Amino acid sequence: MKLNLGRFILFLFLFTPLIQASEYQWRVQVNKKEAHVNEAHVNEAIHLHYSCDYSDSAELYVIEFNPTTDNKNYKIEILREDERIVNGKKINEYEFVLFVKKAGQFSLSLDTLMKKTNKDSIENGMLGRDNANYEEFSLYPYKQKSIEVNILETQSPMVGEFTLSVKKDKATIEAYEPYHLEFLVSGLGDFQVFKDVAYKIEGVEVFSEEAKEEIVLTADGYKGTWRKKFAFVSDKNFSIPALETKYFDLKEKKLKTLRFDGLDIVVSPAKFKKEQLLDPKEEVLTFDKSYLYYLLTFLAGFLVAKIKFIKPKVQDSDEKLFCKRVKEVDSLEKLSFILVTQDAKKYEKIISAIDLKELTSLKKLKNLICS
């Protein structure tokens, strides 16, 4: 292909500054030098902040940096990624949350790949060449500066900052009336510890719904709420046992306890004895024939509501069908075709105006035709 000198000079003028090597510098910040973990790998979050500062706008550079992983030693999750230009200089930022699973001195150096667009790639794109024998990028592996964190072991089942609130009914209920109890845990940490909260009480039917979690990842770890509801049904007095779990409080740096003290529920006796309900001589339940009217009325109303009555469809006139087609059309070309097939002589002026692009508003034409 013959080289166009003018385009090539323009290319050199515009892109020569970009081809020059952009200098860049990586920086890494870690928000703590110590973190805690227990035997169950419930651990404290560590916030990592990486930034790459360029000497210019660095249009030729692209970064591959996504070290999200989960292995036996640690887990990394991405929190935020950003690219911006400040005073003509590009800045790339990456934030991760690190969870270390074992106690001891922990060291981590992440791998990054710097990708720079080649000069040949830009030149071939600008000059219109179709050449598959060149590499689009030059790859420059980059080893990030190592971070060091001392991981301390704690014996508590949880690590974080938590508060427990309990919502409960009055402690006196009637027989077979459900007693409701709800736990709400709010805070920061691993909420999986609460997943096994359950009750089994002799002589009491216990119902519960699946626990509900509303948790988001933050620079400090997982933050949000965990809640679970219970209902207890019995015909006699019963007690709901106490619950407690210990956790290492990250703010106060000491062991604390979340505790529910338990409850004693007083159940009023049933209004009827079982023997009375089963005794055929006792007229415990009677049927009033006057209720039959209300029952039949209810059934009739229910059936009327459920049965779909099909109304006879009124045949649309030709004019209505034509207008319906006009309103559904989405281009002037389709509208012109409909007018030709409908009545070319009647709509001759409109068809001609469309062809000559004298009429260009589809909406106005629709209103004009079907006014």
Side-chain angles (χ1 to χ4, degrees), residues 179-195:
Y179 180 84
H180 298 97
L181 180 68
E182 178 181 352
F183 295 117
L184 174 64
V185 180
S186 306
L188 173 73
D190 189 346
F191 289 82
Q192 291 298 312
V193 176
F194 301 104
K195 66 181 180 181

Side-chain angles (χ1 to χ4, degrees), residues 47 68 116 118 158 176 181 192 231 235 288 294 315 325 331:
H47 180 226
T68 53
K116 181 182 178 184
N118 290 335
M158 296 194 304
Y176 305 110
L181 180 68
Q192 291 298 312
D235 62 344
D288 189 339
Y294 297 105
Q315 185 67 31
R325 291 174 63 198
S331 70

Side-chain angles (χ1 to χ4, degrees), residues 117-136:
T117 304
N118 290 335
K119 175 183 175 182
D120 289 343
S121 173
I122 297 176
E123 182 180 329
N124 285 322
M126 286 295 297
L127 302 180
R129 293 174 180 167
D130 186 13
N131 184 359
N133 297 321
Y134 65 87
E135 294 294 331
E136 293 187 358

Side-chain angles (χ1 to χ4, degrees), residues 28 42 76 86 114 119 127 134 178 187 191 203 215 241 257 260 271 275 317 324 358 361 369:
V28 58
V42 178
I76 294 180
V86 179
M114 308 293 294
K119 175 183 175 182
L127 302 180
Y134 65 87
F191 289 82
I215 300 171
T257 302
F260 165 63
K271 293 180 180 180
E275 294 76 11
S317 65
K324 184 178 180 182
E358 294 174 354
S361 174
I369 296 167

Side-chain angles (χ1 to χ4, degrees), residues 310-316 324:
I310 303 174
K311 296 181 180 180
K313 187 176 180 181
V314 178
Q315 185 67 31
D316 289 336
K324 184 178 180 182

